[in-house]
Amino acid sequence: YSHSTSGRACGVAPYSATRFGGEPSPGRLIEARIAIALEPTNLEAARLVASLLDGLGSKTDAIAAYERILSLVPSDTVSVEANERLDQ
């Protein structure tokens, strides 16, 4: 795992799940989704969900999760770039 100065990890989802403390796993995804259910505007949890879905290879769900982030923060360039990457 290498980290660039822009905060982007090479070969890892844009909001790297490892940045949030571990490898992508279904259990971590459930916990992050619970956090969003309890606090729908929790941007950190939304970013974690998107990263975990991306890292787990769930492309369609990851796109939806990044779009959710964009509904909270329309100028979120990482989410825009992730959607562009996943739409290819």
Side-chain angles (χ1 to χ4, degrees), residues 11-82:
V12 181
Y15 293 115
S16 171
T18 57
R19 175 178 156 228
F20 292 102
E23 293 300 316
S25 73
R28 293 188 68 225
L29 179 58
I30 290 168
E31 291 173 356
R33 284 184 165 164
I34 290 170
I36 288 175
L38 294 172
E39 189 180 347
T41 59
N42 184 330
L43 187 57
E44 188 85 359
R47 287 178 169 155
L48 180 56
V49 166
S51 175
L52 290 167
L53 289 167
D54 200 353
L56 291 168
S58 187
K59 182 177 177 178
T60 302
D61 291 336
I63 290 170
Y66 286 118
E67 288 174 355
R68 183 179 194 303
I69 293 167
L70 290 170
S71 74
L72 297 171
V73 183
S75 62
D76 190 271
T77 57
V78 174
S79 294
V80 170
E81 291 171 6

